Amino acid sequence: MSIDPRVALQSLTTALEEHLIAASNRRGDGDPSVEAAFFAVADAFEVYEDALYEAYNEVTPLQVFDDEDEEDEESAVDDEDLEIVEDRNL
């Protein structure tokens, strides 16, 4: 069942507005309403992206990152980042 991209976009816009409201009324770090609004934006974006692709074979220039993506990037070692240090005192 496909979703009209316009409907998905409206849901995304609503989720973004609710996130702004939650953020502006934050009651400290780890506020559950802000966290819920954050995930609602991510979910609404994914629905919009899927609907856009299905209807028009098009995507946005945006990407949703989760904590697992960040951990994978931090643990990945790139050979270009390695430097060989020689002990010249030998």
Side-chain angles (χ1 to χ4, degrees):
M1 181 171 119
S2 63
I3 296 174
D4 182 342
R6 287 173 185 81
V7 172
L9 178 59
Q10 183 59 45
S11 295
L12 175 57
T13 303
T14 299
L16 287 166
E17 290 172 350
E18 290 174 358
H19 182 268
L20 176 60
I21 291 167
S24 66
N25 293 317
R26 177 186 304 266
R27 294 179 301 260
D29 291 341
D31 187 326
S33 64
V34 175
E35 184 176 332
F38 172 90
F39 288 113
V41 169
D43 292 343
F45 171 75
E46 289 179 2
V47 170
Y48 172 66
E49 183 95 341
D50 291 345
L52 186 64
Y53 186 78
E54 189 173 315
Y56 303 113
N57 200 31
E58 188 60 58
V59 295
T60 67
L62 307 173
Q63 184 175 3
V64 174
F65 292 99
D66 60 19
D67 290 339
E68 291 176 10
D69 291 337
E70 291 175 13
E71 290 171 6
D72 291 343
E73 288 177 11
E74 289 174 2
S75 64
V77 176
D78 188 356
D79 289 340
E80 294 176 7
D81 293 337
L82 298 178
E83 180 180 333
I84 298 175
V85 178
E86 295 180 21
D87 187 356
R88 299 197 188 265
N89 293 328
L90 292 178

